[in-house]
Amino acid sequence: MNWAVTTYDSPFGYVSAKGAPLVDLLDPQPGERIIDLGCGTGAFSAEIAERGAEVLGIDGSAEMIAQAAALNPGLSFAIGDAHDFTTSETFDAVASNGALHWMTADPDAVIAQVHAALRPGGRFVGELGGAGNCAELIVAMQTAWRVFGLGEPELPWYFPTPAEYATRLEEGGFTVRLLEHAERPTLMTEGPNGAADWVRVYMAHALADVPPELVEPLLGRIVDLAAPALRRESGWVADYVRLRFAAVRKPDGAAPMPVGPFADP
Ligand SMILES: C[S@@+](CC[C@H](N)C(=O)[O-])C[C@H]1O[C@@H](n2cnc3c(N)ncnc32)[C@H](O)[C@@H]1O
């Protein structure tokens, strides 16, 4: 998809702001080599680098990578699709903030690439939209699209349940150490038209197919439909549901589990 790089970092800066605690879960150590997968404009990469790790930001969008490089001189960035990127060395960790749910073509392929990039024992730490993410926003959008006779817009996300993602990680060669599925109502930091702005940024591809004269009425209807659930006195709140995980790449050829009378703790 094409990302509106300039709007991305302003009204929706909360995507990056919410990454702050994730860096603590990742716990980068000085000298570690860490990939930030789906790095966008590199805000999370910079947080990782501040802890003394060597970071490589990878993103599928050339515009994002150009912006990341401009904003973070001294850090390394590369264009790459998470489904088939390759690295010439192995890494101590792969981290990803708010990006895995955009990688919809084949989640198992993404996990396989992460596995290949990590040394045995390496960490895979991430936060993505989980099942139920943005449910109110999505229903408002789908309803408005139908009201205007436009059919269903194609949703560009993958919001897995914790059970589903844990299974993918386990089957992909990881041991899951932590998995949280939590509501994270998040204040949209700008504008009285929160739901409309959200659709403009995140559903730009679907909006591009809407006849130009219908765009504003359509967005107005989305605002009307979403407001009762999401507009507060303090502003618009996005109904985020986050899936946060920390997993470790299993050692190659892991020894079979010990059995016998002394196997229990
Ligand atoms: C919402 S942004 C998050 C960016 C950043 N991690 C942050 O915390 O601000 C999602 C990013 O994922 C990237 N992305 C989406 N699909 C991708 C793919 N298949 N491979 C690599 N990057 C991808 C997009 O280009 C975008 O920069």
Side-chain angles (χ1 to χ4, degrees):
M1 81 173 294
N2 288 323
W3 291 81
V5 174
T6 44
T7 50
Y8 169 83
D9 252 353
S10 48
F12 294 96
Y14 60 80
V15 173
S16 299
K18 282 292 171 188
L22 191 63
V23 80
D24 290 332
L25 183 60
L26 175 64
D27 194 19
Q29 299 299 310
E32 279 193 325
R33 287 195 308 265
I34 299 181
I35 291 175
D36 177 9
L37 194 58
C39 63
T41 55
F44 187 49
S45 313
E47 287 182 46
I48 298 170
E50 272 167 25
R51 305 282 179 103
E54 255 176 60
V55 64
L56 169 64
I58 296 179
D59 200 283
S61 153
E63 289 89 347
M64 284 290 183
I65 289 296
Q67 185 82 343
L71 291 172
N72 303 281
L75 301 194
S76 302
F77 294 98
I79 302 168
D81 189 314
H83 296 88
D84 60 13
F85 71 97
T86 50
T87 55
S88 53
E89 50 180 346
T90 54
F91 286 76
D92 299 298
V94 175
S96 184
N97 181 46
L100 291 166
H101 55 264
W102 290 100
M103 301 170 187
T104 53
D106 184 353
D108 292 326
V110 174
I111 291 170
Q113 293 309 118
V114 171
H115 187 273
L118 285 172
R119 63 167 171 77
R123 322 191 288 294
F124 182 23
V125 173
E127 184 170 309
L128 66 155
N133 191 42
C134 297
E136 297 281 358
L137 284 163
I138 290 171
V139 166
M141 198 172 64
Q142 289 172 324
T143 305
W145 244 261
R146 270 199 307 274
V147 166
F148 283 84
L150 297 165
E152 290 277 308
E154 198 184 321
L155 302 180
W157 310 291
Y158 160 67
F159 297 141
T161 65
E164 179 188 342
Y165 207 68
T167 301
R168 289 187 190 278
L169 287 168
E170 292 282 352
E171 290 180 350
F174 288 91
T175 302
V176 177
R177 297 282 187 219
L178 174 138
L179 188 62
E180 288 174 354
H181 185 228
E183 289 185 359
R184 179 90 58 73
T186 301
L187 198 62
M188 297 185 192
T189 50
E190 274 187 23
N193 294 319
D197 293 342
W198 186 87
V199 171
R200 276 198 190 93
V201 170
Y202 293 115
M203 290 293 290
H205 67 287
L207 220 44
D209 294 336
V210 173
E213 68 280 8
L214 290 187
V215 168
E216 286 309 317
L218 180 79
L219 291 173
R221 184 61 70 96
I222 293 169
V223 165
D224 292 345
L225 289 165
L230 302 178
R231 189 159 57 194
R232 315 268 163 83
E233 278 189 17
S234 52
W236 280 86
V237 173
D239 54 338
Y240 279 13
V241 177
R242 275 1 216 175
L243 199 59
R244 170 176 287 208
F245 66 89
V248 176
R249 181 185 152 158
K250 286 178 189 158
D252 288 328
M257 192 87 80
V259 289
F262 301 111
D264 285 334

